[in-house]
């Protein structure tokens, strides 16, 4: 008898090119779970989430397709994963409404992700923005997902989904599994500026999966560094998002850029190399120009095959249309079943 597989659901907003933060924070985990026979993987283009912040309609048409192309280029496989569009499955919005009855406005207003968006777009504090985590909970629960591969910034949203699932199960007797945060490595990829995380919305903070070698070299060269020699202090981490290491050079300056550089080195070359560099920092000093050039080369080597596959895939429009239609239908089949169950439990089914 075949074992019942656990479900996995994740998504990436269609808001432009994917960057290394998305790659390490989400995609690496998505790939690992796709290759694990214990899981059934559903990966969507979060196009409805993308329109919760202001966007340009013409660019958006392309961005939606770009996410699918990126998914395929990094190695997500339509034979193994359901690669679909969130907006093609209307049950996401239906379930989001039902679930919105289970969580308070105050809770939503206090989420760090909501507060950040309010700061970024004070003129655009809409109901859709407030409802963002509820729609995300619906995305996850609609597929009864056990694992959600995402970056650390999404942890508060997974918590909301768990709280909603728990309440729904208690109040209505649904059987939603409590979804788990899944991450293998790189749950927090820092910004190239040294301030905060790598983010699509912060200029100069990211390396795109589509960047060429020259662009990567330029971006890595710009990571602010210091004199190359000094001491390293490990502080008590204020949050559970990342370890707080401080690099203080011999003139007493603290460099957050060096921390970003070291994190990228760890991601691309491994923890051992980072440790070696840290030992040199404390002893003879580092030569950043050489280190940065090598790092840029390694990043490019990782991205080149993805870029080549992507170029080939972009030409195969019929193939893309077919796999998308097929995946949307597969997603709708699962979604319909869950909605029927939820409506029954909420006493919203048609009376016969
Ligand atoms: P989005 O598009 O903002 O981010 C996509 C994924 O990339 C991760 N990520 C990072 N990880 C590590 N370091 C970074 N600097 C970094 N920047 C981005 C994010 O954590 C995310 O995993 N709300 C989701 C989209 C979504 C979703 C869902 C995800 C909608 N519904 C249901 C999972 C399940 C988001 O932030 O997308």
């Amino acid at each position: 008898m075949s074992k019942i597989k656990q479900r996995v659901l994740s998504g990436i907003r269609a808001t432009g090119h994917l960057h290394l933060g998305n790659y390490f924070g989400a995609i690496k985990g998505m790939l690992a779970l796709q290759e694990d026979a214990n899981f059934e993987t559903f990966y969507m283009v979060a196009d409805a989430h993308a329109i919760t912040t202001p966007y340009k309609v013409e660019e958006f048409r392309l961005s939606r397709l770009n996410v699918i192309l990126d998914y395929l280029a990094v190695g997500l496989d339509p034979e193994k994963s359901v690669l679909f569009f969130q907006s093609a499955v209307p049950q996401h919005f239906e379930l989001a409404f039902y679930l919105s009855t289970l969580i308070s406005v105050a809770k939503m207003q206090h989420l760090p992700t909501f507060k950040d968006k309010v700061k970024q777009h004070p003129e655009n504090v809409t109901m859709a923005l407030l409802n963002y985590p509820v729609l995300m909970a619906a995305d996850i629960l609609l597929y009864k997902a056990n694992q959600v591969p995402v970056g650390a910034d999404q942890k508060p949203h997974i918590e909301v989904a768990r709280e909603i699932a728990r309440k729904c199960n208690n109040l209505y007797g649904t059987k939603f599994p409590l979804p788990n945060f899944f991450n293998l490595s790189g749950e927090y990829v820092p910004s190239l500026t040294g301030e905060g995380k790598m983010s699509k919305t912060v200029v100069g903070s990211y390396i795109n999966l589509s960047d060429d070698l020259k662009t990567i070299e330029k971006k890595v060269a710009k990571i602010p560094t210091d004199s190359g020699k000094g001491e390293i202090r490990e502080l008590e981490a204020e949050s559970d998002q990342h370890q707080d290491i401080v690099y203080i050079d011999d003139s007493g300056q603290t460099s957050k850029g060096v921390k970003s550089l070291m994190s990228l080195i760890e991601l691309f070359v491994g923890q051992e190399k980072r440790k070696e560099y840290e030992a040199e920092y404390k002893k003879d000093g580092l030569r950043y120009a050489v280190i940065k050039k090598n790092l840029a080369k390694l990043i490019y080597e990782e991205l080149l095959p993805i870029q080549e596959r992507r170029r080939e895939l972009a030409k195969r429009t019929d193939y893309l249309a077919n796999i998308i239609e097929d995946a949307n239908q597969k997603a709708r089949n699962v979604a319909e079943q869950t909605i029927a169950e939820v409506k029954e439990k909420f006493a919203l089914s048609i009376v016969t």
Side-chain angles (χ1 to χ4, degrees):
M1 213 175 74
S2 67
K3 213 176 123 201
I4 294 175
K5 292 188 181 199
Q6 288 209 347
R7 291 250 179 83
V8 179
L9 182 287
S10 192
I12 293 188
R13 282 178 306 145
T15 47
H17 290 287
L18 299 200
H19 55 67
L20 289 183
N22 305 133
Y23 186 61
F24 284 102
I27 287 173
K28 288 273 188 183
M30 291 160 79
L31 281 167
L33 291 170
Q34 167 185 272
E35 298 309 327
D36 186 330
N38 294 311
F39 296 100
E40 195 182 352
T41 43
F42 290 80
Y43 298 135
M44 58 175 209
V45 179
D47 49 4
H49 275 107
I51 67 167
T52 58
T53 43
Y55 71 104
K56 297 200 174 79
V57 171
E58 282 314 316
E59 276 175 25
F60 184 56
R61 257 185 245 289
L62 281 180
S63 302
R64 289 176 78 234
L65 196 62
N66 276 337
V67 180
I68 289 283
L69 277 172
D70 284 328
Y71 277 173
L72 294 169
V74 294
L76 292 178
D77 178 351
E79 299 287 326
K80 297 177 182 165
S81 294
V82 181
L83 308 175
F84 70 102
F85 283 94
Q86 182 186 30
S87 65
V89 186
Q91 289 83 357
H92 286 249
F93 314 109
E94 185 175 357
L95 185 59
F97 181 77
Y98 301 150
L99 299 182
S100 70
T101 61
L102 295 163
I103 195 113
S104 75
V105 172
K107 175 96 191 186
M108 297 293 94
Q109 284 171 324
H110 281 104
L111 285 175
T113 40
F114 177 71
K115 288 183 182 164
D116 285 351
K117 284 280 181 285
V118 171
K119 260 192 226 151
Q120 271 173 23
H121 301 284
E123 74 300 342
N124 190 63
V125 185
T126 60
M127 286 306 296
L129 199 61
L130 189 65
N131 213 40
Y132 185 115
V134 180
L135 179 57
M136 191 164 150
D139 300 336
I140 296 167
L141 301 186
L142 196 52
Y143 300 88
K144 300 186 182 162
N146 308 85
Q147 303 295 339
V148 186
V150 281
D153 60 313
Q154 297 301 304
K155 278 182 186 167
H157 292 161
I158 307 278
E159 263 320 304
V160 170
R162 289 173 70 89
E163 183 178 334
I164 288 177
R166 220 178 275 125
K167 273 199 187 153
C168 199
N169 292 347
N170 287 342
L171 267 171
Y172 296 102
T174 48
K175 297 228 163 34
F176 289 123
L178 300 190
N180 294 300
F181 170 78
F182 180 88
N183 198 285
L184 290 175
S185 65
E187 65 173 50
Y188 182 89
V189 180
S191 162
L192 300 179
T193 63
E195 293 293 335
K197 67 168 181 125
M198 191 174 278
S199 162
K200 281 177 238 199
T201 48
V202 181
V203 182
S205 81
Y206 55 83
I207 291 172
N208 284 326
L209 299 193
S210 57
D211 283 345
D212 60 22
L213 181 59
K214 278 249 142 9
T215 310
I216 298 172
E217 278 176 351
K218 269 194 214 149
K219 287 182 176 178
V220 173
K222 273 197 188 152
I223 299 175
T225 37
D226 56 11
S227 69
K229 190 169 181 324
E231 60 168 308
I232 301 169
R233 283 192 208 143
E234 281 180 30
L235 305 178
E236 278 291 301
E238 274 177 28
S239 72
D240 63 352
Q241 293 204 345
H242 52 109
Q243 198 183 4
D244 253 335
I245 297 176
V246 184
Y247 298 83
I248 306 162
D249 79 356
D250 48 15
S251 66
Q253 300 284 331
T254 302
S255 173
K256 292 185 183 165
V258 175
K259 186 169 162 174
S260 291
L261 183 65
M262 290 294 184
S263 300
L264 286 173
I265 286 166
E266 184 165 331
L267 286 171
F268 282 91
V269 208
Q271 209 182 28
E272 281 310 303
K273 196 73 193 168
R274 177 187 180 140
K275 293 236 161 82
E276 257 176 52
Y277 283 146
E278 287 184 341
E280 280 177 42
Y281 185 83
K282 289 193 268 191
K283 203 164 155 256
D284 303 325
L286 292 174
R287 290 174 55 224
Y288 289 121
V290 182
I291 294 172
K292 284 178 167 178
K293 204 152 174 102
N294 285 339
L295 175 64
K297 189 167 156 271
L298 283 170
I299 295 175
Y300 182 62
E301 278 169 7
E302 173 98 13
L303 300 185
L304 183 62
I306 299 174
Q307 295 174 2
E308 286 173 350
R309 274 198 298 272
R310 196 180 192 289
R311 264 193 292 278
E312 284 311 306
L313 283 158
K315 296 178 200 157
R316 301 174 61 190
T317 44
D318 284 352
Y319 166 74
L320 292 171
N322 280 339
I323 60 162
I324 292 167
E325 201 29 64
D326 188 42
N328 288 345
Q329 192 51 51
K330 279 187 189 148
R332 280 193 290 263
N333 292 346
V334 175
E336 271 167 20
Q337 211 178 326
T338 306
I339 284 292
E341 287 165 20
V342 170
K343 285 183 79 171
E344 174 63 33
K345 297 285 186 193
F346 277 57
L348 289 165
S349 298
I350 298 165
V351 182
T352 50

